Amino acid sequence: MAQPNIVIIMADQLAPHFTGAYGHRSAKTPHLDALAARGMRFDAAYCNSPLCAPSRMAFMSGQLISRIAGYDNASEFRASVPTFAHYLKALGYRTCLSGKMHFVGPDQKHGFQDRVTTDIYPADFAWTPDWEAADERIDKWYHNMQTVKESGVAHATYQIDYDDEVGFAAKRWLFDRARDTTMGDTLPFALVASFIHPHDPYVARPEWWNLYDDRDVDPPAHILAPKDQDPFARRVMDGIEASYKPLTDTETHRARRAYLANVSYFDSKIGEIVQTLEETGTLENTVLIVTADHGDMLGERGLWFKMNFFEHSARIPLVMAGPGIAEGSAPNACSLIDLLPTLIEIGGGDLSILGEPVDGRSLMSLARGETDPVDEAIGEYCAEMTPWPVFMIRRGSLKYIHCDIDPPQLYDLVNDPAELQNVVEDLAYADAARAFAAEVAERWDSAALRADVMATQASRRRLHAVMEAGAGEPWDYTPPRDASTEYVRNTVSWDEASLRFRYPPVSKNG
C-alpha cells in the first residue's frame, strides 16, 4: 500500500471536556465530531508536561522532558534531538510546519523541510523560571487573573491574526503539493498545522461568540478554596493570582463562553484543512490526527490555565481518522510521546530507524481497533510555581501524583472522575499506593533532576542577560520568501503562471 499522507492539526490549551466529540452538551465542534465519527477517539490521552514548550518537545521527540532537559518555556530544544519530522523525511515524506511549536534555541525547524510561518512566542531564554525564588510571581510574562477578567468579544487580536495566517499558509502549502503532483512529484506529505486557540486570553470574534448563549455555558463543577487545595495547586493559585484576586461569577462565565467560542473557531480551521484535502483529492489517502499540547482548568477546582496534573489540565483530545484507522474509541491511557512511534509506523518504518531511544509506543494497534496491553501515561512538570519536580503516573483507572515536598495524591478516575477524593491513605488502595511510591523512587532521582533544572535555569538567565545586551542574533523564525518568484513575473509567461497555479489543472483534452 502506498504511504499515506499525514496531517496533524494541533490546538493550544484545549481540554477535551469542552468538545462535542468528547461529550460536552453544547460545544459546537462539527468538524472534530465528524473525524471522531469516522475514526478513533482516544479517551485517556495525556500531555507529558502541562506547559506549552515542554509538552511540544515531548510530542516532537517521543521522549520525556527529563531525558532531553526540556523543562520549561525557555528550555532549549537541542538540535541533536531527533524528531518525527526527521524520521518522516528519512522515510520519503515532504514535511512542513505551519504555526506554533514554541521552539527555543537557534534551530527553528527541527527536521521540517518547510516552515511557512513564524512562531507566536519568543525563541530565546527570556521566560526562564527561577527555582531559587520559586514562590515569587513572575509579573512580566506570567498568567494572571486580569487576563480572565478581560475575556469577551473583539474583532481582532494577535491570536486571531496568527491563526488566520497559520490556516492560510497550511492550505496554500497543501495546494502547492497538489500542484507539484501534476508536475510529476508524487512524494507523500506530512503537515503539522498548529494553532494558538483556544489558549487565553479568552477573546473571541462575534461570529463565534454568538454561536453560544448564556444557557450553553456551565459554571465550574467544583471550586475549592485556597485552604482546601493540595500544596502544589495552592502554589499555582498564588502564582496566577487566583488565591487573592477572586473572579465574579459573571467574569468566570464570560471567560468560559469565550473559550467555547474559540474552541469552535479552532474547529473551523479543522474544517478548512479537511476541505482543502478534499479539493486536492488527497483526503482518502491522508491520516488526520487532531490533538493539543495540554488542557485548561478554566476555573475547575478554582484553578485556571494548566501547570498541574488534574484532568482538565493534563488530558488532551486525540482523534485519528483515515486509511487503516478503525471507527471507535480507545480507553487505554496514552500520551503525546506515543505519536512519534505511531507516525513512523504510519509512514512504513520501524523502530530500527531511531537515532535515540524513545519513551513512547505506537498507538496503531489501538487505532486499528485491536487490543493493547499498555495502559499508561507518564507526566513530569519542572517549570514555574514549584521548587521540585512533580511527577504523574496514570495507569489503568488510577492516577498517582508525586512531589518530594508535598503529600502524595492518588485518584481512582473511574469511581471519582472529578478527583475530589485523595485515596492515598485509604486501606483499599494501600497496595497500589505503595507500588506507585516505589515506582517513582525507582524511575526518577528527584534530587538529581532538581539540581539539573536549577543549573540550566542559572545558565539560561545569565545567557539571556548578555543576549539582551547584544551578544547574538535573535532566534525568532522568519519564513523565507522570494517575491520575485511569486504570482506573475517576467521570468515566465502569463500563460505559464496561470497553468502552474491553477488547480485542478486545465484538461489537455480541452
Side-chain angles (χ1 to χ4, degrees), residues 83-101:
T83 71
F84 66 72
H86 290 109
Y87 295 130
L88 289 176
K89 179 61 180 172
L91 291 170
Y93 279 77
R94 177 75 178 264
T95 60
C96 177
L97 169 62
S98 180
K100 176 184 175 180
M101 204 49 67

PDB file of all heavy atoms in Angstrom, residues 83-101:
ATOM      1  N   THR A  83      13.564  14.217  15.789  1.00  0.00           N
ATOM      2  CA  THR A  83      12.117  14.393  15.912  1.00  0.00           C
ATOM      3  C   THR A  83      11.400  13.537  14.876  1.00  0.00           C
ATOM      4  O   THR A  83      12.016  12.992  13.958  1.00  0.00           O
ATOM      5  CB  THR A  83      11.723  15.859  15.687  1.00  0.00           C
ATOM      6  OG1 THR A  83      11.906  16.184  14.287  1.00  0.00           O
ATOM      7  CG2 THR A  83      12.542  16.806  16.551  1.00  0.00           C
ATOM      8  N   PHE A  84      10.085  13.475  15.004  1.00  0.00           N
ATOM      9  CA  PHE A  84       9.340  12.721  13.996  1.00  0.00           C
ATOM     10  C   PHE A  84       9.454  13.364  12.622  1.00  0.00           C
ATOM     11  O   PHE A  84       9.326  12.681  11.594  1.00  0.00           O
ATOM     12  CB  PHE A  84       7.880  12.522  14.408  1.00  0.00           C
ATOM     13  CG  PHE A  84       7.029  13.763  14.478  1.00  0.00           C
ATOM     14  CD1 PHE A  84       6.608  14.433  13.335  1.00  0.00           C
ATOM     15  CD2 PHE A  84       6.592  14.243  15.709  1.00  0.00           C
ATOM     16  CE1 PHE A  84       5.808  15.561  13.408  1.00  0.00           C
ATOM     17  CE2 PHE A  84       5.789  15.362  15.783  1.00  0.00           C
ATOM     18  CZ  PHE A  84       5.398  16.031  14.635  1.00  0.00           C
ATOM     19  N   ALA A  85       9.718  14.675  12.562  1.00  0.00           N
ATOM     20  CA  ALA A  85       9.920  15.318  11.256  1.00  0.00           C
ATOM     21  C   ALA A  85      11.182  14.777  10.586  1.00  0.00           C
ATOM     22  O   ALA A  85      11.197  14.549   9.367  1.00  0.00           O
ATOM     23  CB  ALA A  85      10.009  16.833  11.424  1.00  0.00           C
ATOM     24  N   HIS A  86      12.241  14.560  11.343  1.00  0.00           N
ATOM     25  CA  HIS A  86      13.446  13.947  10.780  1.00  0.00           C
ATOM     26  C   HIS A  86      13.135  12.552  10.239  1.00  0.00           C
ATOM     27  O   HIS A  86      13.528  12.195   9.116  1.00  0.00           O
ATOM     28  CB  HIS A  86      14.542  13.825  11.843  1.00  0.00           C
ATOM     29  CG  HIS A  86      15.143  15.123  12.284  1.00  0.00           C
ATOM     30  ND1 HIS A  86      14.912  15.656  13.536  1.00  0.00           N
ATOM     31  CD2 HIS A  86      15.974  15.989  11.654  1.00  0.00           C
ATOM     32  CE1 HIS A  86      15.586  16.795  13.659  1.00  0.00           C
ATOM     33  NE2 HIS A  86      16.235  17.025  12.538  1.00  0.00           N
ATOM     34  N   TYR A  87      12.449  11.763  11.057  1.00  0.00           N
ATOM     35  CA  TYR A  87      12.205  10.377  10.661  1.00  0.00           C
ATOM     36  C   TYR A  87      11.276  10.289   9.450  1.00  0.00           C
ATOM     37  O   TYR A  87      11.481   9.447   8.562  1.00  0.00           O
ATOM     38  CB  TYR A  87      11.628   9.598  11.838  1.00  0.00           C
ATOM     39  CG  TYR A  87      12.590   9.468  13.005  1.00  0.00           C
ATOM     40  CD1 TYR A  87      12.189   9.777  14.299  1.00  0.00           C
ATOM     41  CD2 TYR A  87      13.910   9.053  12.813  1.00  0.00           C
ATOM     42  CE1 TYR A  87      13.060   9.665  15.372  1.00  0.00           C
ATOM     43  CE2 TYR A  87      14.794   8.937  13.876  1.00  0.00           C
ATOM     44  CZ  TYR A  87      14.359   9.246  15.154  1.00  0.00           C
ATOM     45  OH  TYR A  87      15.230   9.132  16.216  1.00  0.00           O
ATOM     46  N   LEU A  88      10.250  11.137   9.408  1.00  0.00           N
ATOM     47  CA  LEU A  88       9.357  11.107   8.251  1.00  0.00           C
ATOM     48  C   LEU A  88      10.086  11.547   6.986  1.00  0.00           C
ATOM     49  O   LEU A  88       9.855  11.010   5.899  1.00  0.00           O
ATOM     50  CB  LEU A  88       8.129  11.976   8.514  1.00  0.00           C
ATOM     51  CG  LEU A  88       7.148  11.419   9.553  1.00  0.00           C
ATOM     52  CD1 LEU A  88       6.010  12.414   9.796  1.00  0.00           C
ATOM     53  CD2 LEU A  88       6.594  10.067   9.123  1.00  0.00           C
ATOM     54  N   LYS A  89      10.963  12.521   7.101  1.00  0.00           N
ATOM     55  CA  LYS A  89      11.773  12.916   5.945  1.00  0.00           C
ATOM     56  C   LYS A  89      12.631  11.750   5.478  1.00  0.00           C
ATOM     57  O   LYS A  89      12.767  11.482   4.273  1.00  0.00           O
ATOM     58  CB  LYS A  89      12.638  14.125   6.304  1.00  0.00           C
ATOM     59  CG  LYS A  89      13.539  14.607   5.168  1.00  0.00           C
ATOM     60  CD  LYS A  89      12.742  15.037   3.955  1.00  0.00           C
ATOM     61  CE  LYS A  89      13.643  15.511   2.838  1.00  0.00           C
ATOM     62  NZ  LYS A  89      12.899  15.752   1.584  1.00  0.00           N
ATOM     63  N   ALA A  90      13.211  11.010   6.430  1.00  0.00           N
ATOM     64  CA  ALA A  90      14.034   9.854   6.072  1.00  0.00           C
ATOM     65  C   ALA A  90      13.206   8.771   5.388  1.00  0.00           C
ATOM     66  O   ALA A  90      13.743   7.993   4.581  1.00  0.00           O
ATOM     67  CB  ALA A  90      14.705   9.287   7.325  1.00  0.00           C
ATOM     68  N   LEU A  91      11.908   8.725   5.696  1.00  0.00           N
ATOM     69  CA  LEU A  91      11.016   7.741   5.073  1.00  0.00           C
ATOM     70  C   LEU A  91      10.449   8.227   3.747  1.00  0.00           C
ATOM     71  O   LEU A  91       9.610   7.547   3.151  1.00  0.00           O
ATOM     72  CB  LEU A  91       9.873   7.400   6.037  1.00  0.00           C
ATOM     73  CG  LEU A  91      10.280   6.600   7.277  1.00  0.00           C
ATOM     74  CD1 LEU A  91       9.129   6.534   8.279  1.00  0.00           C
ATOM     75  CD2 LEU A  91      10.726   5.190   6.890  1.00  0.00           C
ATOM     76  N   GLY A  92      10.881   9.400   3.291  1.00  0.00           N
ATOM     77  CA  GLY A  92      10.491   9.864   1.976  1.00  0.00           C
ATOM     78  C   GLY A  92       9.401  10.896   1.935  1.00  0.00           C
ATOM     79  O   GLY A  92       8.867  11.210   0.860  1.00  0.00           O
ATOM     80  N   TYR A  93       9.065  11.492   3.084  1.00  0.00           N
ATOM     81  CA  TYR A  93       7.988  12.473   3.141  1.00  0.00           C
ATOM     82  C   TYR A  93       8.505  13.887   2.886  1.00  0.00           C
ATOM     83  O   TYR A  93       9.634  14.229   3.254  1.00  0.00           O
ATOM     84  CB  TYR A  93       7.305  12.445   4.519  1.00  0.00           C
ATOM     85  CG  TYR A  93       6.297  11.338   4.683  1.00  0.00           C
ATOM     86  CD1 TYR A  93       6.703  10.030   4.919  1.00  0.00           C
ATOM     87  CD2 TYR A  93       4.929  11.592   4.583  1.00  0.00           C
ATOM     88  CE1 TYR A  93       5.789   8.996   5.076  1.00  0.00           C
ATOM     89  CE2 TYR A  93       4.007  10.569   4.741  1.00  0.00           C
ATOM     90  CZ  TYR A  93       4.443   9.278   4.982  1.00  0.00           C
ATOM     91  OH  TYR A  93       3.526   8.271   5.123  1.00  0.00           O
ATOM     92  N   ARG A  94       7.669  14.716   2.286  1.00  0.00           N
ATOM     93  CA  ARG A  94       7.871  16.171   2.265  1.00  0.00           C
ATOM     94  C   ARG A  94       7.174  16.707   3.504  1.00  0.00           C
ATOM     95  O   ARG A  94       5.970  16.481   3.709  1.00  0.00           O
ATOM     96  CB  ARG A  94       7.257  16.775   0.994  1.00  0.00           C
ATOM     97  CG  ARG A  94       7.329  18.299   0.895  1.00  0.00           C
ATOM     98  CD  ARG A  94       8.730  18.777   0.553  1.00  0.00           C
ATOM     99  NE  ARG A  94       8.771  20.230   0.424  1.00  0.00           N
ATOM    100  CZ  ARG A  94       8.668  20.882  -0.746  1.00  0.00           C
ATOM    101  NH1 ARG A  94       8.481  20.198  -1.878  1.00  0.00           N
ATOM    102  NH2 ARG A  94       8.755  22.197  -0.788  1.00  0.00           N
ATOM    103  N   THR A  95       7.892  17.403   4.367  1.00  0.00           N
ATOM    104  CA  THR A  95       7.364  17.795   5.672  1.00  0.00           C
ATOM    105  C   THR A  95       7.235  19.307   5.796  1.00  0.00           C
ATOM    106  O   THR A  95       8.022  20.063   5.230  1.00  0.00           O
ATOM    107  CB  THR A  95       8.264  17.267   6.806  1.00  0.00           C
ATOM    108  OG1 THR A  95       9.581  17.813   6.645  1.00  0.00           O
ATOM    109  CG2 THR A  95       8.341  15.746   6.785  1.00  0.00           C
ATOM    110  N   CYS A  96       6.261  19.726   6.592  1.00  0.00           N
ATOM    111  CA  CYS A  96       6.013  21.161   6.767  1.00  0.00           C
ATOM    112  C   CYS A  96       5.416  21.430   8.134  1.00  0.00           C
ATOM    113  O   CYS A  96       4.583  20.665   8.633  1.00  0.00           O
ATOM    114  CB  CYS A  96       5.050  21.660   5.684  1.00  0.00           C
ATOM    115  SG  CYS A  96       4.592  23.417   5.852  1.00  0.00           S
ATOM    116  N   LEU A  97       5.820  22.541   8.726  1.00  0.00           N
ATOM    117  CA  LEU A  97       5.196  23.081   9.928  1.00  0.00           C
ATOM    118  C   LEU A  97       4.589  24.433   9.599  1.00  0.00           C
ATOM    119  O   LEU A  97       5.277  25.331   9.120  1.00  0.00           O
ATOM    120  CB  LEU A  97       6.231  23.249  11.052  1.00  0.00           C
ATOM    121  CG  LEU A  97       5.767  24.036  12.286  1.00  0.00           C
ATOM    122  CD1 LEU A  97       4.600  23.340  12.980  1.00  0.00           C
ATOM    123  CD2 LEU A  97       6.921  24.242  13.262  1.00  0.00           C
ATOM    124  N   SER A  98       3.305  24.553   9.846  1.00  0.00           N
ATOM    125  CA  SER A  98       2.632  25.849   9.785  1.00  0.00           C
ATOM    126  C   SER A  98       2.095  26.142  11.174  1.00  0.00           C
ATOM    127  O   SER A  98       1.236  25.421  11.677  1.00  0.00           O
ATOM    128  CB  SER A  98       1.479  25.817   8.772  1.00  0.00           C
ATOM    129  OG  SER A  98       0.820  27.071   8.719  1.00  0.00           O
ATOM    130  N   GLY A  99       2.631  27.176  11.815  1.00  0.00           N
ATOM    131  CA  GLY A  99       2.096  27.555  13.112  1.00  0.00           C
ATOM    132  C   GLY A  99       3.054  27.384  14.267  1.00  0.00           C
ATOM    133  O   GLY A  99       4.270  27.272  14.113  1.00  0.00           O
ATOM    134  N   LYS A 100       2.479  27.315  15.438  1.00  0.00           N
ATOM    135  CA  LYS A 100       3.229  27.331  16.689  1.00  0.00           C
ATOM    136  C   LYS A 100       3.858  25.978  17.000  1.00  0.00           C
ATOM    137  O   LYS A 100       3.224  24.943  16.840  1.00  0.00           O
ATOM    138  CB  LYS A 100       2.295  27.709  17.844  1.00  0.00           C
ATOM    139  CG  LYS A 100       2.984  27.655  19.209  1.00  0.00           C
ATOM    140  CD  LYS A 100       2.039  27.929  20.351  1.00  0.00           C
ATOM    141  CE  LYS A 100       2.776  27.732  21.685  1.00  0.00           C
ATOM    142  NZ  LYS A 100       1.909  27.995  22.844  1.00  0.00           N
ATOM    143  N   MET A 101       5.104  25.993  17.438  1.00  0.00           N
ATOM    144  CA  MET A 101       5.693  24.825  18.079  1.00  0.00           C
ATOM    145  C   MET A 101       6.586  25.234  19.247  1.00  0.00           C
ATOM    146  O   MET A 101       7.128  24.404  19.935  1.00  0.00           O
ATOM    147  CB  MET A 101       6.459  23.964  17.072  1.00  0.00           C
ATOM    148  CG  MET A 101       6.615  22.506  17.483  1.00  0.00           C
ATOM    149  SD  MET A 101       5.101  21.677  18.020  1.00  0.00           S
ATOM    150  CE  MET A 101       4.173  21.623  16.510  1.00  0.00           C
TER     151      MET A 101
END
